[in-house]
Amino acid sequence: MKKEFILMEQVSFSFGRQQVLKKVCLSLEQGISYALIGKSGSGKTTILNLIAGFLKPDEGTVSINGTRVLGPRKETAFLFQELGLFPWQTVEEAVAMPLKLRGGKQEAKEAVYHLLEKLGLEKYGNKYPQELSGGEQQRVALARTLIGGPDIILMDEPTSALDAATKEELQGVIREEQQRRGTTLFFVTHDVEEAMWLGQYVLILKEDGEVEQIENPYYFNKDAREQLGFYEECIKLRQLLKMEKEG
Amino acid sequence: MFVKNQCLGFVSFLIFWEICHLLLNTHTVPSPLETLAYMLTVPGKLALHCGASMLRVLAAIGISLIIGVPAGMLLGVNETCKKLLSPFLYFIYPMPKIAFLPVFMLLFGLGNTSKIILMIWIIIFQMILSVRDGVEQILPVHFKVMNSFCATSGQRYRYLIFPAILPQIFSGLRISIGITLASLFFAENYAATYGIGYYILSAWTKMNYVEMFGGILAIGFLGIILFDLLDSLERFSAPWLKKNAAER
C-alpha cells in the first residue's frame, strides 16, 4: 500500500486579497520525483513555499511524514531559482555551510570535497561564485542543497536561467543524484521537456485547485531523449496545458 | 605597483604645491622642499604629536564601530526600530556637529574624553546609516537560504548579515578616517599639549608657516598610513571584494 510522505489537505492561500490557492490537495510518496507544471500565476511556487515551511496556509494543512509543517525543517532542502549563493563564500565554504550550521565542522571538509568531486567541481573549491559560469554556479547551489542528505529536495525552476547545453548537463546531474539517493524531489517548471525528463510523475495544477497526476513512462529510460515517443508525450502534455489555459 | 602609484601621486602634489608657491610668491605658502627639510629637523616632535592624534582617531573610530555597527544592523533588520529611530538620525545627520563642542567641553571636561566624543559624534551617524543601508541591500533570497537551513539568529548574523555589510563598513571607515583627521584641527585646538591639530594651530598663531605646513603634511601622511592599513585589512577580511574589482 502506498504511503503519502508529503500531504497537502484542502490548502488555501492568499496574498492579501488575491487568492492564489483554493482547497488544493496533494499527496506525494517518499523517494519519488514529481514535476509540477501549470499556467503562470496558478500558485506553483506558493505550493513549494508552503511545503518548505516559508509560508503558512490560510486554511488546510501541510504535513511531512505525518508531522504538520509549521516552519522550515532541516531535512527539507530548497534549490532556489536565483540560487542565492553568497558572494563572500568560496565554493567550499558555500557547500560546507549547511553542515557547519548543524555543528558538524569536523566531517565537513571531507564530505564537501567528496560531493564536489561527484559534481565535477573539485577544481573550484577556492573560487567565488562570481568567478564561475552560470552552470557551475547552479551545480554549486545543487551541491549545497544535497550536502546535508535531505529527504526532500524542492526546486523552483532549477534550470530556467541556463543555456540549452548547460541545462541538459545539470538536468543529468539532478536526475542521477535523485535516483542514486532516492530522495523525494518536487520541482516547479515551465519547461514540459524538463518535467518529462526529471519527473517520475508530472502534476498539472489546475485553476480550480485540482491536481492531475500523470505517470511518466520514460522516467527510467536513460535514452528517452533519443526517442520519438518521449517528444510525443511532451506534445500531449503541452496540449493538456494549453487546454487548461484556455479553460 | 601600488607604492609606485602612491609615490607618483605624492610627487605630482609636490609639483603642484611648488607651482602655487612660485605663482603666489608669499611667505604664507612656503616651498614644499623647505617644508620637508623642516620636517626632517623635528622628526621626534612631529612623531609625538602624530602619535597623540593617531590614538585619539583610533579610539574614536573604534568606539564608533563598536556602537555604530550593531546599531546599524538593528535598524536594518528591525522595522520598528528603523521607523522609530530613522527620523532622529536624519535630523541629527546634517547638523554641524562641531557646534556641539562647547557642550562636550562642559559635560566631559577639557581632556581627551571630550575630544574623542566630539569625533565619535561627527562620524557615528554616517557609520550607522551605511550599515543600515548595507543590511537593507541584502537580497531576500539570501535570507530565504538561511531560513531553509534553519539557521539560528546568531548564525544568520555570522554567515549572512555581517559578511554582507563588510563593504559598507569599509567604505564607512574610509569616510570616517577622512572626517576624523580633518576634525582634529577643531578637537585639538583647546587644552591640548600634544596632537597634530594643536601643532598646526600653534604654528599658525606664531605665524610660522613652514611649521604649519609641516603639520598639514603630517596629517596627510597619517591619512596614507591609515588608508593603507585599512586596505590591507580589507584585503585580508574581505578577499572577494578584491576579486570583484579585478574582474571589473
Side-chain angles (χ1 to χ4, degrees):
Chain A
M1 191 184 146
K2 289 176 181 178
K3 187 179 177 286
E4 61 267 356
F5 185 53
I6 302 173
L7 191 64
M8 288 182 87
E9 289 175 300
Q10 302 284 319
V11 169
S12 299
F13 186 84
S14 306
F15 284 110
R17 284 184 181 181
Q18 193 195 350
Q19 184 154 45
V20 184
L21 297 175
K22 196 177 165 187
K23 297 199 180 299
V24 172
C25 294
L26 198 63
S27 169
L28 310 175
E29 284 174 57
Q30 191 163 19
I32 307 282
S33 169
Y34 297 89
L36 180 66
I37 56 175
K39 65 176 191 179
S40 295
S42 57
K44 302 185 295 291
T45 301
T46 307
I47 290 182
L48 272 186
N49 284 324
L50 285 162
I51 296 173
F54 297 147
L55 298 174
K56 283 182 186 135
D58 299 335
E59 275 175 47
T61 56
V62 181
S63 55
I64 295 174
N65 209 12
T67 310
R68 200 167 165 174
V69 176
L70 298 169
R73 60 194 276 278
K74 284 179 181 167
E75 297 79 14
T76 303
F78 205 117
L79 182 61
F80 296 90
Q81 190 179 1
E82 312 94 311
L83 304 183
L85 294 172
F86 301 159
W88 51 88
Q89 282 183 334
T90 60
V91 168
E92 187 192 326
E93 287 165 347
V95 179
M97 186 178 71
L99 295 180
K100 285 185 178 168
L101 292 176
R102 291 183 196 178
K105 285 179 187 167
Q106 294 300 320
E107 82 269 22
K109 195 158 184 155
E110 203 178 317
V112 166
Y113 269 91
H114 186 67
L115 185 59
L116 290 182
E117 211 178 324
K118 264 210 149 49
L119 298 180
L121 290 164
E122 69 275 18
K123 286 185 291 183
Y124 305 116
N126 293 321
K127 297 262 183 201
Y128 289 99
Q130 51 277 26
E131 297 176 283
L132 304 176
S133 70
E136 288 158 355
Q137 288 183 15
Q138 204 100 13
R139 273 186 285 161
V140 175
L142 179 65
R144 188 177 66 179
T145 309
L146 294 173
I147 190 79
D151 57 11
I152 300 169
I153 297 176
L154 304 170
M155 304 194 296
D156 190 6
E157 300 192 36
T159 62
S160 62
L162 300 176
D163 61 85
T166 318
K167 184 185 261 197
E168 206 165 305
E169 184 198 327
L170 190 81
Q171 285 169 343
V173 175
I174 294 172
R175 197 177 140 99
E176 194 190 312
E177 284 298 317
Q178 191 274 329
Q179 291 185 355
R180 197 175 60 80
R181 290 166 181 257
T183 315
T184 309
L185 178 67
F186 183 67
F187 68 99
V188 161
T189 183
H190 280 292
D191 183 345
V192 168
E193 201 181 311
E194 179 170 79
M196 283 292 291
W197 181 235
L198 294 182
Q200 189 174 344
Y201 289 91
V202 179
L203 311 174
I204 303 175
L205 179 63
K206 298 187 169 180
E207 185 104 31
D208 55 3
E210 196 197 320
V211 179
E212 187 180 340
Q213 184 168 308
I214 298 165
E215 189 167 0
N216 174 8
Y218 287 92
Y219 182 68
F220 291 106
N221 185 344
K222 274 186 179 176
D223 304 318
R225 275 180 155 169
E226 318 286 317
Q227 294 169 7
L228 205 60
F230 175 80
Y231 294 99
E232 282 170 356
E233 286 292 327
C234 289
I235 291 167
K236 274 188 211 165
L237 207 54
R238 246 183 230 118
Q239 281 168 344
L240 264 174
L241 265 178
K242 203 176 166 191
M243 276 162 61
E244 173 60 24
K245 271 183 194 171
E246 288 166 358
Chain B
M1 187 68 186
F2 179 68
V3 176
K4 195 179 157 191
N5 284 345
Q6 278 196 335
C7 288
L8 212 69
F10 185 62
V11 171
S12 329
F13 165 69
L14 289 184
I15 292 170
F16 173 73
W17 181 359
E18 181 66 34
I19 293 168
C20 290
H21 163 71
L22 292 172
L23 286 177
L24 294 170
N25 194 23
T26 161
H27 70 286
T28 48
V29 183
S31 131
L33 289 178
E34 190 188 350
T35 310
L36 284 171
Y38 171 78
M39 286 173 81
L40 291 175
T41 61
V42 285
K45 192 176 165 190
L46 267 177
L48 214 60
H49 285 285
C50 284
S53 293
M54 187 82 122
L55 285 177
R56 288 184 189 117
V57 166
L58 290 178
I61 289 176
I63 296 168
S64 300
L65 270 178
I66 291 168
I67 302 170
V69 172
M73 280 185 184
L74 186 69
L75 257 66
V77 295
N78 190 309
E79 200 57 32
T80 316
C81 282
K82 186 186 159 189
K83 278 182 185 158
L84 282 175
L85 296 173
S86 290
F88 169 72
L89 284 174
Y90 298 150
F91 181 71
I92 297 278
Y93 188 53
M95 281 183 183
K97 318 282 182 320
I98 211 84
F100 290 85
L101 182 58
V103 180
F104 294 137
M105 284 163 77
L106 201 71
L107 289 174
F108 304 106
L110 298 174
N112 278 322
T113 314
S114 64
K115 291 175 175 53
I116 292 168
I117 287 178
L118 175 72
M119 287 193 271
I120 293 171
W121 187 244
I122 290 172
I123 59 175
I124 197 161
F125 298 103
Q126 173 262 325
M127 188 88 80
I128 293 172
L129 288 173
S130 320
V131 171
R132 186 202 68 178
D133 292 350
V135 175
E136 285 181 344
Q137 280 165 22
I138 299 174
L139 298 174
V141 70
H142 286 165
F143 281 106
K144 244 177 153 181
V145 165
M146 293 309 282
N147 267 350
S148 76
F149 291 124
C150 301
T152 61
S153 179
Q155 288 172 332
R156 205 169 298 147
Y157 276 95
R158 185 184 161 192
Y159 288 96
L160 173 61
I161 298 175
F162 190 69
I165 60 163
L166 263 184
Q168 275 77 16
I169 293 179
F170 279 108
S171 63
L173 276 173
R174 279 193 187 86
I175 298 167
S176 300
I177 287 174
I179 301 173
T180 41
L181 286 176
S183 63
L184 279 175
F185 184 72
F186 295 100
E188 295 177 342
N189 78 359
Y190 63 90
T193 330
Y194 290 106
I196 205 70
Y198 160 76
Y199 182 86
I200 294 169
L201 195 78
S202 147
W204 182 16
T205 50
K206 287 186 284 182
M207 293 207 296
N208 185 344
Y209 295 111
V210 176
E211 190 179 313
M212 187 184 90
F213 271 84
I216 293 171
L217 257 188
I219 286 198
F221 288 133
L222 269 186
I224 289 178
I225 293 168
L226 287 171
F227 278 112
D228 280 354
L229 272 175
L230 197 64
D231 285 346
S232 307
L233 192 66
E234 187 176 23
R235 273 195 294 276
F236 173 74
S237 57
W240 72 93
L241 294 176
K242 205 72 197 163
K243 295 210 174 182
N244 288 353
E247 272 183 13
R248 283 195 292 273

